[in-house]
Amino acid sequence: MRGQGAPEGIKDLLGSRTFQYDLTELPGLDYLSYPTGVIQQAQELAADAFGAEQSWFLVNGTTTGIHAAVMATCSPETALLVARNTHLAAFSALVLSGAMPVWIQPECNSALGIAVSVTVQALEAAFAEAASRQLKVGAVLLVSPSYFGSCSDIAGMVKLCHQRGVALIVDEAHGGHFAFSQHFPQSALSQGADLAVQSTHKVLGSMGQSSMLHAQGTLVDRPRISRALQTLQTSSPSYLLMASLDAARHQAVQQSTWAEPARAAQRIRDGLAKLPGISVLDRNNCACAGVLEVDAMRITVAISGLGLTGWQLAAMLREEHAVIPELASLKVVVFALGPGSTLQHANGLVEAFQVICHAGGDKQPDSERNASAQRDDSQVLQLGVRCMQKEPQMAIKPREAAFSPTERIDISQASGRISAELLCPYPPGVPVAFPGERIDSGTVELLQGVQRYGGVVMGASDDTLRTIEVIQ
Ligand SMILES: Cc1ncc(COP(=O)(O)O)c(C=O)c1O
């Protein structure tokens, strides 16, 4: 009907032309699951632009790309070596593939309570653990850049993986722009990664949900990726999303796209460097092993000398200065720049920080006052370090945990039981309980401590943490 049946309200909001292009897989428009026409052409242009041998358009975000990458490389008979600071999608990929996780511990900046990198040594240790447990490794999955823009030594990891004939999958959700300027870090593909998954909708200009999966080399069976995507993706993909991916590729390859955003990022770094109480994360002050580069387009501001938490600062920036951070944690706020970022945005951000950093007296926004009265930052950070150091004890596979009957019990009774929940304290954003892992008294103590001292535990089905879901 080419949009004629679209409801008036949404047509008024988005314009009727939007709906003329909201098409389905009609003759001449190709099929996402078996592309041979315009979609194939657009994917080939993408592969060329991003430095891949083959690229796939994704209409359910990087999440689907991670699922397909793991399903194409792992099976219930193999292990996935996976960094513990990866996205939730890694958990569901373990459920879908049936693989056994072997964890790679990330490096964390303990003063800021953030996980910033994975070292080649940590990956080597994970390979050694898999060997000692006689597990065949299907693939390695890492996130780089991190949420904080820090990039790990992907070339070093590639070398280690390829010596063993194992594919490296990089969750490059926040690094879709890396291929397009020498001011950005090297992309995972240019360092030899076998698969890279990028949220084109995050840093590049495509619409929400649209991402890309890129492949190169011979270690990964590419028809298996296509088959996994046929299983995972809808048979009615949105042409608006796919067209926006094609347009984002076209925009990204124009050098002019990056000139002003790169200047804006530099202006923010220069402006914030002059202010008291804060510092911007760069390669030299990460205080962590394994950080090779920091993305110029991601500004992670460490605010330890400001007398505010990241959550308070984010609320002030939003409510009083109309500046929206991408992410906030106890000791940092993070800003993401992209093709639409201008010098005017940069000036607005720097001016907001000037006001806040030079303001004396009572700086806390009302909306955060109660939370902060109960918070003990140093305790939260110390507990965060203990969370990162905690050795996981995998009792059953995540897939088995996902399909097992569960029960809700009082958390005081949880020690010795197997978790059905993924519980992740912030800071540091590294899980302390994963579905299939045995809970011990240390787990319970950490979870209760983080909550008592004002940190946040994500993923709990009972947010009071009085009860917990465990395997029966
Ligand atoms: C590091 C990382 N990986 C994967 C994802 C999932 O990406 P998407 O939202 O495109 O599915 C996210 C989303 O925030 C992310 O931050």
Side-chain angles (χ1 to χ4, degrees), residues 377-398:
D377 294 359
S378 65
Q379 287 282 2
V380 174
L381 282 174
Q382 274 174 35
L383 286 162
V385 173
R386 284 176 52 202
C387 290
M388 295 182 243
Q389 290 166 345
K390 190 158 188 336
E391 284 284 322
Q393 306 168 50
M394 211 72 223
I396 57 174
K397 282 183 179 181

Side-chain angles (χ1 to χ4, degrees), residues 69-70 73-74 78-82 136-141 166-169:
V70 175
T73 50
C74 295
T78 61
L80 176 70
L81 309 194
V82 52
K136 183 174 181 320
V137 178
V140 172
L141 171 60
V166 171
L168 176 64
I169 307 164

Side-chain angles (χ1 to χ4, degrees), residues 159-175:
K159 197 165 160 213
L160 210 59
C161 289
H162 289 184
Q163 280 164 357
R164 293 160 173 81
V166 171
L168 176 64
I169 307 164
V170 179
D171 171 353
E172 207 174 31
H174 301 279

Side-chain angles (χ1 to χ4, degrees), residues 167-189:
L168 176 64
I169 307 164
V170 179
D171 171 353
E172 207 174 31
H174 301 279
H177 55 301
F178 284 3
F180 302 107
S181 166
Q182 83 273 19
H183 300 301
F184 304 151
Q186 279 190 21
S187 71
L189 288 173

Side-chain angles (χ1 to χ4, degrees), residues 2 37 144 243 268 296 371 394 429:
R2 304 220 59 180
S144 180
I268 294 172
M394 211 72 223

Side-chain angles (χ1 to χ4, degrees), residues 60-64 66 87 89 143 145 147 171 173-174 199 201-202 211:
N60 188 28
T62 291
T63 300
T64 319
I66 291 172
H87 185 262
V143 56
Y147 296 91
D171 171 353
H174 301 279
S199 293
H201 66 96
K202 289 190 196 294
S211 287

